[in-house]
Amino acid sequence: ALLALLHQREVRVEVVKTDRFDRWVGRVLVENRDAGLAQLRAGLAWHFTRYDADLSPAVRRRYARAERQARLRAIGLWRDSAPQPPWEHRARARAAAGASGLAPAGAAALGNPVR
């Protein structure tokens, strides 16, 4: 769904800040449409509140409302009665990899983001 939204379109990133890993934190806009908000409305993303303080109050409200509406409509990932947040999935994968002594799948591919 994200690829369909972004494919062969001009994308603009409104950078809010750079995090401690030198990654951009911001909003992705495609044709002046907030891609994150579109994903939230479709039930295809979580409203990740860790960076809420970096957003304007209006954007925070839109994101929270979009996720709440998707949950109420039980669309996208909210069809599942207990969807697992991606940060919990990653933590479990890291814990399992640590217990087995193996690196998590895809760990070698991680690196600096493309800018």
Side-chain angles (χ1 to χ4, degrees):
L2 185 58
L3 178 60
L5 178 65
L6 303 177
H7 187 66
Q8 294 188 345
R9 291 185 175 89
E10 185 173 325
V11 173
R12 183 168 50 97
V13 178
E14 284 184 355
V15 178
V16 175
K17 71 178 190 179
T18 301
D19 72 7
R20 64 187 179 136
F21 301 107
D22 200 34
R23 298 175 300 197
W24 290 345
V25 177
R27 294 175 46 213
V28 175
L29 302 168
V30 57
E31 298 174 355
N32 291 321
R33 181 175 176 203
D34 186 328
L37 182 59
Q39 294 293 97
L40 286 164
R41 285 180 173 153
L44 300 173
W46 295 77
H47 174 199
F48 191 51
T49 58
R50 175 181 290 171
Y51 297 111
D52 264 3
D54 299 321
L55 301 171
S56 73
V59 171
R60 281 196 302 266
R61 284 190 300 272
R62 280 194 298 269
Y63 284 8
R65 184 174 40 246
E67 182 180 299
R68 189 171 48 253
Q69 290 298 316
R71 284 178 183 246
L72 289 171
R73 293 172 41 214
I75 59 173
L77 65 98
W78 307 113
R79 286 185 198 128
D80 188 327
S81 61
Q84 183 181 51
W87 50 91
E88 288 180 13
H89 172 77
R90 289 189 297 269
R92 286 188 180 126
R94 282 191 300 269
S100 70
L102 299 174
L110 296 177
N112 291 330
V114 175
R115 296 192 187 181

